[in-house]
Amino acid sequence: HCSFKSMKSNKACSREGVASFDNKISTFMRKGVVGDWKNYFTVNQNAAFEELYKKEVGGTGLTFEFE
C-alpha cells in the first residue's frame, strides 16, 4: 500500500475528485522521480521556493533531498 504506484492509484492519496485540485492540469502525484521538479519549475519559481524553504525550514535541522 505504500508503494508510489499504489498511492498514485488510490483516490484518497491522489486527490482525485477534490474540487480544489484540477487533475486535468497536472496530477497530484506525477512520476515519483526525484528531481523531476526541474521539468516544471521556472527559474523564478525555484528562487521563490528556495526563499520560502529557508524561511520555513531553516534552523530546524531538517534536510530534504531535491535531486
Side-chain angles (χ1 to χ4, degrees):
H1 294 289
C2 295
S3 71
F4 183 82
K5 183 178 180 180
S6 177
M7 289 189 293
K8 186 171 182 172
S9 65
N10 182 332
K11 290 181 181 183
C13 296
S14 66
R15 301 190 69 148
E16 189 175 314
V18 175
S20 64
F21 191 84
D22 189 352
N23 279 305
K24 293 175 190 157
I25 296 172
S26 177
T27 58
F28 183 69
M29 298 175 81
R30 294 186 318 265
K31 297 177 190 173
V33 176
V34 175
D36 190 48
W37 61 270
K38 292 178 185 179
N39 296 317
Y40 296 88
F41 273 33
T42 65
V43 172
N44 289 339
Q45 287 172 322
N46 187 49
F49 173 80
E50 288 289 335
E51 184 179 324
L52 180 63
Y53 177 80
K54 287 177 185 174
K55 176 184 172 193
E56 297 294 328
V57 183
T60 65
L62 296 172
T63 58
F64 297 94
E65 251 185 76
F66 296 107
E67 296 186 43

